[in-house]
Amino acid sequence: MARLADYFVVVGYDLDKRGGSEGQGRILQRFPEKDWEDNPFPQGIELFCQPSGWQLVPERQPATFFVAVLTDINSERHYCACFTFWEALDNPQLQRAEASEADEVDEEPAVVQPSQVFAPKSLVLVSRLDHTEVFRNCLGLIYTVHVDALSVPLETVIGNLLTCVIPIAGGSQRTITLGAGDRQVIQTPINDSLPVSGSSVAQLFRQLGIVNVLYLFCAALTEHKILFLSSSYQRLTDACRGLLAIMFPLKYSFTYVPILPGKLLEVLSTPTPFIIGVNSFFRSETQELLDVIIADLDGGTVTIPECVHISLLPEPLLQQTQTALSMVLDPELEVADHAFPPSSTQPSALKIQDKEIRAVFLWLFARLFQGYRWCLHIIRIHPEPVIRFHKAAFLGQRALSEDDFLMKVLDGMAFAGFVSERGPPYRTTDLFDDLIANQVERIRQEEACPHKVMNHIKELAEQLFKNENPYPTVAMHKVQRPSESPGQNQPQNQTPFPPLDEVTVQLFIDHAAAKLKTAPPVVKAELKGMVPSGPPLGDIVDRNGNVLANSARRLEVVRNCITYIFENKMLEAKKLMPAVLRALKGRAARICLTQELNQHVLQNRAVLDDQQFDYIVRMMNCTLQDCSHMDEHGIAAALLPLVTAFCRKLGAGITQFAYSCVQEHMVWTNMQFWEAMFYSDVQNHIRALYLEVDDGEPHANSSQEQQDGGREVVSALELASEQSRLWPTLSKDMQTERVQKEESTVFSQAIHYANRMSYLLLPLDTSKNRLLRSSGLGDVESVSNSYVTNSIAGSMAESYDTESGFEDAESSDVANSVVRFINRFVDKVCNESGVTNEHLKALHTMIPDIVQMHIETLDAVHRESKRLPPIQKPKLLRPTLLSGEELVMDGMRVHLIPDGREEATGLMGGPPLLPAEGAIFLTTYRLIFKGTPSDPLVGEQVVTRSFPIASLTKEKRISVTLPMDQFVQEGLQLRSCTFQLMKIAFDEEVASDLAEVFRKHMHKLRYPQHVQGTFAFTVGQCGKLVVEHKAKDKNQSIKTLSKNLVKSAKRTIGRQYVTRKKYTPPTWENRSSLQSELDEDEISVSEELDQSSLTLSSTIRSSDRQTMSNVVERACCRDYQRLGLGTLSNSLTRSKNEPFRISTVNRMYTVCRSYPGLLIVPQSIPDSTIQRICRCYRQNRFPVVCWRNSRTKAVLLRSAGLHAKGVVGFFKSPNAPTAVPSQADSTSLEQEKYLQAIISSMPSYSETSGRNTLSGFTSTHMNTSDSSDKLRQPKIGALMKQVMGAKEDVPGTFSRGGKWGSIRGSGRLSAYNPEVGNRLAGKESPQPNGGPSDALFLRPQKAYLYIIGDKAQLKGGKQDSFQQWEVVPIEVCDVRQVKNSFKKLMKACVPSSPNSDPNMSFHRCLEDSEWMTLLHKVLQVSVLVVELLDTGSSVMVSLEDGWDVTTQVVSLVQLLSDPYYRTFDGFRLLVEKEWLSFGHRFSHRGAQTLASQSSGFTPVFLQFLDCVHQIHLQFPMEFEFSQYYLKFLAYHYVSNRFRTFLLDSDYERIELGVLYEEKGERKNPQVCKSVWDYIDRLHKKTPIFYNYMFCPEDEEVLRPYSFISNLKVWDFYTEETLSEGPSYDWELVRGRQERPAEETPDKPDTSGPTSQRQIVWPCYDSRSKVVPDAITKLLQDLQTLEAELGQASEKWKDTWDKIKTTQRTETKLESRPSFSSSLLMSSNLSHQRRSQGVYLQESGVGSSINLALDCEASATSTPVAGRPSTSTLYSQFQSTESENRSFEGILYKKGALLKPWKPRWFVLDKTKHQLRYYESRQDKECKGVIELAEVESVIPGTPTMGAPKNIEDKAFFDLKTTKRVYNFCAQDSLNAQLWMDSVQSCLSDA
């Protein structure tokens, strides 16, 4: 029974404390005046009566009623029913104004104040029961009594109200009266555990809708903050009540304030979750709450902030719940489409609907929590049951361990309350318990059928409704209301609410209290009973079939393997092992493993030998590695007893247990795992305890049985329930005895667990701290959220720790951290399970001792285990290093893990080369992995993977699990822009700090402070330079640094070229005139230069001619002269008719930092103009000429894009009226003059006249397609159209973009109409390159100069019709695009992990990267420019800053147009000129230093090389260099091995003094500073860079296809050679090749006949080496044969040239070209070296042979004189006849003075009377001839200096001629005699 009302309070407006706008309320009276003992008076009621603030109003308002909820300190809820009405009051403001009128005259408000105002007054009823309607009636009655002045005294009514007592539950009806002729019936619910909701839930759904309420429901369960807004207070209360009702059976335990007063709004910023309601009046204040979900009841919206993520119900539950709810709320939805809808499908009445909705949520919770009782651990039964929930097991059995929602709910406070309330096994049960226990089966069967679900829900709803309304409603209510609502019409003289007489009311209360005392106590029998558990979870999941995925076969394999191990059949076990490790991925197999191993444990022990132990440990590790740290399937739990059982003997009395080898797993550091394990063990022991008590005999029930959950076995909960029932019947002694027994059980388990935990947490080598290292706990102190609850842990642990005697004995971190961890565990579990304080203290003293003892035993084990012969780890192989390359860190043992490339893993056939075990080495130049594959079948192969450290683009830490060792290890994933990826896992022997040091070193080497720290500079010296730099730069600001750099650069430049260089005379005739010319220039520039602080000229005067002559020596100058673009003759002799000159305006790099010192500009433009023009262009990169077409004399110019301001001025028509010529104007005029000068330099300009722009096209005479057939003109139109991107335009519409789309003022068609383009293109062949050019046809219609510009920049420019240039706007790819595209390309070509997603196949990723699209764009623009140049128009490329895309396009154009650039020298020159001199920012784009690290790697140059590769593929006979040459450059331009591609411009190179390094300066000849020198040297030695198909046609202009379908992926991106690493560091590869040959003889030849076959593995062998193409093979054979014969081998190039020459001569000599003779040549040509080996060009053999014959004349690279010399003719035709060669053989011949002895092939020829000698036997070219006519005598000689060793003296003889004496040496004396005789006989014959 409970009081209906605890307090009655009258609250009024406080007239005294009226400050400012906000009034206050105060309690006028309260009854009873002293607090009830069981229920103190709640504070702050006056705030809640007027939540929006106390205010006076000018008009009377209607009375209001609402219920606020206050929560007290014991989290009891108090319901405050507030009835508010308004009372008249004389206006206090008027009175105050009169009183102080004298002072406040000015400030008197203009508003007329009403004479009377109304103040609110509230009657408040405080109760612990929630009977809203009863409260409304009671307060209404009191008000009515007061207003209508009824005859009943108010005191009586209030006294009756306060003494009314009603039952809380039980479903009874109570009739009450307050003694004013009223009567009310109160119905109590049958079961008070079910919430009472009225119709609030249905209301809530009506206001917000299904989805919104579900969001709120999930948010409330997952502990988010929820705020309701409404303008009605009662609705706020109802909504909050509704939300709580649907959360049943969970109870909300956080802040709950359905109505929050405005004064307390700051509560909303509390960090804890809450459900709060606020009046919409305060909406604006709620706007800035960032993490609060706001539900607006009036507007029906729920706003979820961006930062809040609400986990929703798991599917399919979410879907099914939504369906059920919509069937309740909107039953018409289902039949809305029916042709004959049923007559009535109205939703139920609100009250019923409310219960139906709640039934849906009840059904939902029954499904969410089904089987929860099987995961309860009961750890104490007496005196109070203590119950814990095993979360991991529950999630695991439900297969929901990944589910976010359920995880959060189970971790939440509400669920903790649920467990403590519903966990106890002996209590009263309610509807939910019944549902969980008995209806699970029904729910499971019906869940798929919504109608059956609906029936179930209706049944549940009926029970819920019955609970709230147990009786049919009785119409017995009778409550007076006020006679008429107090409105405006009421008489003004209503009396205020009178003060009441406290004594009278108190009398009533006292009287009632006395009555209660005498009344007999009401006894209501509580029906307690055992709570049924329902069906166990295991069955539920099994029927879904989730577990049965593991086939029985796999389990069989696991069982067999274990049997083999224990029967010692190790070979069998070894064979099965890989299969077992694979099978253990499945859960069933893991459970099977634990059960099998259990059977081999006898008396808690199983002693194994080493190998068995090793296998068992490997299986355990494999089993554990796939467990999550939660261990949701209980596998770690099952293994825990086993790891302390299996052991091996190491020595006398020393045993190693399995636990020391399985510690690496996260699960052991997870506190929750240990708690769950502890609780389940305690439960088993307590169960055993009571089974014994009951039966009087011990029951050996293992935990297995309990897990099986067989019905006949009594579960622990059932036992506990029985014990709880008996508890009251036991005697005191019995009770205490049981309590003690239980307590000591828990205590003994705690000791046991302290031991177990020390086993698994203390590493074998206690110097490593595993606890701290594991990422699970981080530092032990930072406890994850789940343990915060026991705040006591830390403090107690510390205090006991100091008492232990072991305080100083072992100060190691490991011991301390383990002790702390175990202490925390013990504190938590002992506090929860009620262990006495003495016991807890004892435990704390024990723990350090336990740990210490264990450490000591471990040390012995560790010592002994080290003595075991270690498992054979492959020995670390040392890598070969380049000269000058030094190891920074010695090899660290690592595993190279397979990445996404499948070739090496054996998945595509072939051997599994990866994973491999070896070491990683960090050198000053490279990162090298060298090791052997883990797979024993390929164990003898060596796997090498390396890349230059400078090419590292991304490094990230990964954790790796190795399939064999099962340890999770830390690893690194290193990606390089040479398309290499290394995923390495550090071996356990590598300390983690070493790995960190490795990373730091790597970063230091990758991003040196300055370019001088890169390998190209530090090679061969110690890396001091870098360090110095660091020290210097530390605190200097950037500005001063740059100044100093420039200063020191000036000094070094001055010094270097004065001191270090030999004086090189200038390469022109008259020096004095040069001097004067330079001086002139200097003077003309000086005014401007002085303003520039950056100039170098202050120190270099013109007298330093070295600088100049060096500039002249630069390759570009040679090229300019070759192209006839100007020579450096002096100004007098320079012919004025040359259109261009070489300007030295930039020789000090003052005009443009990033341009070279010498530039080609039009003859007529003085240097002063240039300095003005350059400002219009970005980076001052003004247009300069870089190439001229020798045939059409059209020139190619390059520049940067214009500055934005320059553009408009640039295209302004000159006759635009401008009053004053501004600066910009004059510049633009000069610019025009500049362009005009270029145009007038073209011969075609002077020939033709008139307006010659593209706009000259008219579309009439070109309409017929046949005309364009006859005239096969080039497709410039189509090209332009493609390049400008007018793709989708319908012919006839204007193309997009800039001027090309506008109509001219003249009324003619615009220049660029796509239709014209189409016609220009010739519809039939859409290819962008096509037939021969017919220049005449196009001549009249083209412009003289096309400017290729950026679409974005050229907006708004208008062009004058008389100008001779046109702008072609194109879209260029931005550098960022290239960067991102390259990243994606790398990921596509070298994925980091295998991709199972079919949408992410290699080709899809390649397409997504858009790399091919970028190549296509660049090639397309280049082909367009080539076409334009070829038809005689000049082209100026001015894109972006002029150093990325511009450089690509300009270089490609030259490569396509000029065959010279397709040779070795030409290509080198092209790169030096366009890329290096013209300032492509190699260092910046390659992110080579710390400064450019942030900008990232952007491979603009690589893109260019790829374009060249595409052209090479399409024209394989046009290039002298091979594809390998391009790959070589691609590799080394990022490798930093050479200095060539360092720094951003010539200026920077001069600053560092690396531009003109003299060849003689090199300290050690091995170190090549320039990649070109290196290539030259290598080229001389081996034909690796040479393209045998090189057979150029004269003046051939290439026009490659640029469609994406014509482009191929460059194999540079995808190929790799694991046998030797990248082949681009040639010395390393060459060094390796010879080794296997030496080793082979050692192997005993047991195989019988050896096979000549060799297996070639993709991705392991270098195919070009193992299967060389025919020519390389022949050249190699030649060399080996020569070596065998002991002859000096000839250079490959000479051999090759000789063969070509001979063949050419043969072809010429014969009357008709014979097929056979030229076959060799042509087959050379058509065999192109590709990575696949020998490969025929697609064109077919025939055509390539004809080609070969046609171009025979020009094919040779060594020019042949007009007629072949007679001697070659002679030797060719008669060489076969024997008498021609009377005697021949090898003789050593001493050269002229100071030259060595050399073996030569000598031929004695009687016919011609000559002694000829050749380099070698095969040599056709005679090296020298001794005419026998001149020989005087042949005499035996004596050995002289340097003669061949080991040859007898008699083998020497001399041949004396009239001119000199030849010294010879034969192989032996016999041979010498023969030679002398032969020569003698020839002489005598003569």
Side-chain angles (χ1 to χ4, degrees), residues 332 341-346:
E332 292 185 356
S343 49
S344 71
T345 47
Q346 285 306 315

Side-chain angles (χ1 to χ4, degrees), residues 833-847:
S833 47
V835 172
T836 58
N837 249 345
E838 296 72 54
H839 272 163
L840 192 54
K841 278 189 177 164
L843 267 173
H844 277 300
T845 13
M846 267 194 240
I847 289 170

Side-chain angles (χ1 to χ4, degrees), residues 1324-1340:
E1324 292 64 45
S1325 60
Q1327 296 289 25
N1329 56 345
S1333 61
D1334 185 340
L1336 285 171
F1337 173 70
L1338 256 163
R1339 176 76 47 79

Side-chain angles (χ1 to χ4, degrees), residues 901 925 927 945-953 974-982 1382 1386 1389-1390 1497 1499 1502 1527-1536 1611-1616 1622 1624-1625:
R901 295 170 287 183
Y925 167 48
L927 250 179
R945 199 175 254 182
S946 74
F947 58 77
I949 192 83
S951 68
L952 180 72
T953 55
L974 307 167
R975 192 181 271 288
S976 136
C977 55
T978 57
F979 290 84
Q980 192 46 276
L981 178 78
M982 267 194 230
F1382 180 71
M1386 279 202 298
C1389 295
V1390 188
F1497 176 73
L1502 179 75
K1527 293 183 202 169
F1528 189 86
L1529 284 178
Y1531 183 84
H1532 280 303
Y1533 111 85
V1534 290
S1535 74
N1536 285 7
D1611 51 11
F1612 174 65
Y1613 304 152
T1614 51
E1615 67 182 2
E1616 84 161 326
Y1624 308 106
D1625 289 312

Side-chain angles (χ1 to χ4, degrees), residues 100-150:
S100 57
E101 201 151 355
D103 318 334
E104 302 181 11
V105 175
D106 316 341
E107 295 167 27
E108 182 60 33
V111 183
V112 180
Q113 292 284 352
S115 63
Q116 201 180 25
V117 288
F118 294 89
K121 184 167 278 184
S122 297
L123 308 177
V124 185
L125 206 160
V126 182
S127 167
R128 278 173 300 179
L129 305 176
D130 183 10
H131 289 293
T132 312
E133 283 312 307
V134 177
F135 297 157
R136 187 196 299 270
N137 292 336
C138 294
L139 292 175
L141 179 70
I142 293 173
Y143 178 67
T144 311
V145 170
H146 157 60
V147 173
D148 291 359
L150 297 180

